Amino acid sequence: MQFRRVGADALLIEVDTPLNWFAALDAERAAGRLAVVDIVPGARTVLLDGVADPVGLAARLSNWTFDPASELPEPPLTVDVRFDGMDLPFVAELAGLSVAGLVDKLTSTDFMVAFCGFAPGFAYLRGLPWNIPRLPTPRTRVPAGSVALAAEFAGVYPTPSPGGWRIVGRTEAELFDVARTPPALMTPGRTVRFRAA
């Protein structure tokens, strides 16, 4: 575990289990024992923003212990997906499966939202048993709702955007809505399951 000061009022913690730390720190904030504005998990980090004394907080957390049992803050989310993506045959061949076998594998996997980024509502879903290469040249426009794979992650594009991930399907789910609380449908620590539509 390492602590790095970021700017005047933020602290970056490098840890092996960022979702556990996120859940525990968020519980501390909710209980009024941690004064921070925002807690942002990453692939291998947790960023605490709006910290009055980053050096003092790092000292306090360096010997901190917590119960990691509360990693799942919300019930599993099921997302209906039409598996008809242009890269589905390529990914199936790469995985050594038929297209039907790949769909079975994707719909039987419990994905975990590791962190969010790239675009509002875009969640990096951990759980793939393969490492899927990105496209050599990104597409200039990926439709909203595209379900795609890259490296060890799955994700769903919340809006039309450029992208280099392998598209395996699409969903009608609303990934981001500013009128909803929270606006993002997929939040860190949440389990996500794909269901063939």
Side-chain angles (χ1 to χ4, degrees):
M1 174 174 41
Q2 288 189 330
F3 296 92
R4 299 180 192 279
R5 189 169 179 171
V6 179
D9 63 353
L11 181 68
L12 186 71
I13 311 170
E14 295 181 12
V15 290
D16 293 331
T17 56
L19 286 179
N20 295 79
W21 276 81
F22 168 75
L25 290 167
D26 196 42
E28 288 292 298
R29 177 175 59 175
R33 295 186 294 266
L34 179 64
V36 297
V37 174
D38 205 2
I39 305 170
V40 183
R44 291 172 185 83
T45 60
V46 178
L47 177 71
L48 302 176
D49 193 22
V51 177
D53 179 12
V55 174
L57 182 58
R60 175 181 152 202
L61 294 178
S62 63
N63 295 314
W64 189 50
T65 59
F66 60 89
D67 179 6
S70 62
E71 187 175 322
L72 304 177
E74 299 177 73
L77 170 70
T78 299
V79 176
D80 289 325
V81 176
R82 179 173 292 173
F83 287 97
D84 59 359
M86 62 187 79
D87 299 314
L88 191 63
F90 171 84
V91 175
E93 183 178 347
L94 185 71
L97 299 168
S98 65
V99 168
L102 177 65
V103 171
D104 285 345
K105 183 64 178 172
L106 292 174
T107 55
S108 65
T109 299
D110 281 350
F111 291 95
M112 176 74 68
V113 179
F115 56 96
C116 299
F118 170 66
F122 188 92
Y124 289 78
L125 306 174
R126 184 172 285 143
L128 283 182
W130 323 283
N131 195 308
I132 306 299
R134 294 172 188 260
L135 292 168
T137 303
R139 295 179 174 101
T140 56
R141 187 178 186 278
V142 175
S146 293
V147 177
L149 313 176
E152 70 270 30
F153 297 107
V156 184
Y157 286 81
T159 57
S161 65
W165 289 32
R166 306 285 180 164
I167 299 172
V168 295
R170 57 195 162 112
T171 182
E172 299 296 323
E174 186 76 31
L175 278 292
F176 191 80
D177 180 356
V178 293
R180 185 172 54 205
T181 303
L185 183 64
M186 300 181 189
T187 53
R190 191 164 192 186
T191 299
V192 177
R193 296 171 181 152
F194 292 140
R195 178 170 60 193

